[in-house]
Amino acid sequence: MGQITWHGHACTEIRTDDGFRLLIDPFLTDNPMADVGPDHFTDGLDHLLLTHGHFDHVGDAWDILRETGAQLIATFEIVAYAGDHEGVENSHPLHIGGGYQFPFGRAQLTPALHGGQVAGENAGPYSTFPAGFLLELNGGTTIYHAGDTALIKDMELLEGRVDVALLPIGDNFTMGPADAVRAVEMIDPDTVIPIHYDTMEVIEQDPRAWARDVGDRAEVVVLEPGGTHDY
Ligand code: NI
Ligand code: MN
């Protein structure tokens, strides 16, 4: 059995049923919602995935990568920045629509409609497209982490392919609750976990009210930071 742990905001840890440990968007030190710090991962991490370059997603990524030697998976430009300026040597670049077979399964970058800045010193030339991740794990489970995005018609292309979807509901910087319900309709996942809310005042939401709005379209799992979902 595999396990998904939500660490607040968009930060998601995945332990696969064949023993790989993945971490997505590790915004921890400056995240008031985070239940753990970056040292939670120093006892072993296989891959660190970044959906885009904003500070609330990169977070502690460079420190964790240098400390653990985990492999960075992100867009070409983020990987280039990490190698040129952050001392990250173990990395694998992808780009939107492209996927690759990793030891844990296939990771594919999906479109996201959002901002492309990379947070960091001298990061100007490295601005890039934001993305989501479609992870087809070896055990047969497919997880979709949407990243930061508006509701986009491209989500219809995922219909029937996703077991667990992690969708932003915060509004203001990403799609809000009503559009996230439409995303559930379009993707039709078995299970959906709301993310990217309550971290700051402008994205405060009621995830249980959202779960009622989703209704029987999918199983909604509302996690507290540190909460887990077995798949
Ligand atoms: Ni963002
Ligand atoms: Mn964000």
Side-chain angles (χ1 to χ4, degrees), residues 107-124:
Q108 182 177 1
L109 284 187
T110 60
L113 190 56
H114 188 64
Q117 182 194 33
V118 176
E121 294 288 328
N122 307 309

Side-chain angles (χ1 to χ4, degrees), residues 45-127:
L45 182 69
D46 297 300
H47 300 273
L48 193 153
L49 289 62
L50 293 178
T51 61
H52 64 296
H54 284 163
F55 76 96
D56 59 317
H57 297 258
V58 172
D60 301 285
W62 313 138
D63 287 339
I64 294 171
L65 287 162
R66 286 188 291 254
E67 185 77 19
T68 64
Q71 184 182 52
L72 170 65
I73 303 173
T75 56
F76 177 85
E77 292 85 355
I78 290 175
V79 164
Y81 171 73
D84 292 346
H85 293 285
E86 300 292 350
V88 175
E89 301 299 333
N90 184 13
S91 57
H92 186 108
L94 294 171
H95 232 302
I96 311 288
Y100 184 80
Q101 192 70 33
F102 292 91
F104 61 84
R106 180 179 163 85
Q108 182 177 1
L109 284 187
T110 60
L113 190 56
H114 188 64
Q117 182 194 33
V118 176
E121 294 288 328
N122 307 309
Y126 299 90
S127 67

Side-chain angles (χ1 to χ4, degrees), residues 123-147:
Y126 299 90
S127 67
T128 185
F129 287 99
F133 278 101
L134 187 69
L135 304 174
E136 301 177 271
L137 303 176
N138 291 336
T141 301
T142 298
I143 298 172
Y144 171 54
H145 187 298

